[in-house]
Amino acid sequence: MPPSPALGRRTFTRRTLLTVSAAGLAVAVTGCTSSSPADERNAVTDEQADGLAAQVAVQQTLVQAYDLAFQADPALAAAAGALADQAGEQLDRLRDAAPDSTSSATAPPGAPAPGQGQAWLRTQVAVAATSHATAALDQTGARAALLASIAAGLRGHEALLA
Amino acid sequence: MADDENTPMATENAALSDALAAAHAAVWGYGVVGAALPTDARAAAVAAEDAHRGIRDALIALLGERGADPVLPEAGYALPFPVLSAVDAAALAAVLEGGVAAAWVRVVDGAVERSTRALAMEVLSAAEVRAVGWRTAAGQPPVTRAFPGLQQ
């Protein structure tokens, strides 16, 4: 198996330490002198902090996609409102984990045709899930766990929208 | 030895051992699920059991390669509630998948190897997709979860 980037050289900054403590999923890093496995996994490089911030933008785009799909297909809003709520909860948790995120969401590609909201939304959910899952591979510790859980949750959305 | 037990790889192996224990429980539990379902509704349970057997076997091989003793299945398991109907069976399956998801989130949290995170992502997502189907069958809205495997 290839070595993990988790054990590579790291740069520690105040921003990255804040990012870790905000993740709230494991032991918060209070300094960079500890060498316990949990501290090691939850220490974060600038690259990892930037990567997590990018996923905030991905999730923002997905939340917008839910809104667009519901506008195009009001019946979908009634059936899938809980999914949109969950997407919003995921966004909140990501923001908590990346409090200094300044990434901007990009608008979802196009807009669904009337009556085609579900299929279009399912595609947007799949794109976001794949993005989070891919990003999780480059994270470690609590950040990786959060992204992995969100990606799995979105796979569940995708299945329900099929 | 204490140092060995505190290394990142030891932490990853411990998480994988927990995931193996969850796989053992799922394989056992799906036997109960299948028995409580009508014959024409057992395909999903059989497929799920096969999936967990595959993960179980992969974990046993992986831990063995690493010199870690794979955890054995328990001699017996306690059901969380009586399983007397197809709805009970679906609810049990959802519980089993939830247990598996929680174990694999811990694997992601404790993983050192990128390949371990990739495996965990695959298993975690598959567990949640199955769980959505079981929660639907059990009538447990909302049938999706924002954070499968994580405490909310």
Side-chain angles (χ1 to χ4, degrees):
Chain A
M1 293 183 181
S4 167
L7 296 179
R9 190 175 62 182
R10 290 197 170 95
T11 56
F12 295 96
T13 66
R14 173 174 169 73
R15 177 170 75 102
T16 56
L17 293 176
L18 284 171
T19 300
V20 170
S21 63
L25 298 174
V27 178
V29 174
T30 55
C32 56
T33 56
S34 172
S35 59
S36 78
D39 285 354
E40 184 73 12
R41 293 193 310 276
N42 286 297
V44 59
T45 65
D46 283 346
E47 290 78 10
Q48 288 175 324
D50 290 343
L52 191 61
Q55 298 317 118
V56 174
V58 167
Q59 191 69 23
Q60 285 177 313
T61 299
L62 179 61
V63 169
Q64 291 176 17
Y66 267 102
D67 289 342
L68 287 172
F70 289 172
Q71 289 170 20
D73 190 347
L76 183 62
L83 303 186
D85 291 344
Q86 290 179 353
E89 292 170 19
Q90 292 167 338
L91 176 57
D92 290 344
R93 194 87 162 247
L94 281 169
R95 281 175 169 155
D96 288 346
D100 288 354
S101 170
T102 56
S103 297
S104 299
T106 56
Q116 298 297 311
Q118 182 166 332
W120 180 84
L121 179 59
R122 182 171 184 250
T123 299
Q124 308 314 310
V125 169
V127 167
T130 298
S131 178
H132 291 323
T134 303
L137 300 179
D138 293 325
Q139 299 285 341
T140 53
R143 298 175 311 280
L146 176 60
L147 286 171
S149 177
I150 291 173
L154 293 179
R155 292 301 183 200
H157 288 199
E158 185 184 352
L160 200 62
L161 292 167
Chain B
M1 197 63 190
D3 286 347
D4 290 344
E5 293 170 356
N6 200 33
T7 63
M9 186 56 79
T11 300
E12 176 175 309
N13 286 344
L16 289 170
S17 292
D18 289 345
L20 174 56
H24 284 312
V27 168
W28 179 88
Y30 268 108
V32 177
V33 171
L37 291 172
T39 305
D40 61 356
R42 288 180 184 164
V46 170
E49 183 175 343
D50 286 347
H52 289 295
R53 285 186 192 279
I55 293 300
R56 177 200 64 186
D57 294 346
L59 283 171
I60 289 171
L62 177 58
L63 289 167
E65 289 169 5
R66 294 180 175 188
D69 290 331
V71 63
L72 297 172
E74 300 287 339
Y77 295 88
L79 290 172
F81 45 78
V83 180
L84 305 174
S85 68
V87 171
D88 294 339
L92 176 60
V95 169
L96 295 172
E97 297 296 353
V100 167
W104 281 97
V105 164
R106 289 194 293 273
V107 170
V108 178
D109 190 6
V112 178
E113 302 282 357
R114 182 184 174 94
S115 58
T116 302
R117 283 191 290 278
L119 173 63
M121 280 300 318
E122 181 180 343
V123 179
L124 176 58
S125 293
E128 175 58 11
V129 169
R130 284 190 297 268
V132 167
W134 292 121
R135 291 185 204 114
T136 301
Q140 296 180 340
V143 299
T144 56
R145 296 287 185 271
F147 306 101
L150 280 180
Q151 290 185 345
Q152 300 192 35

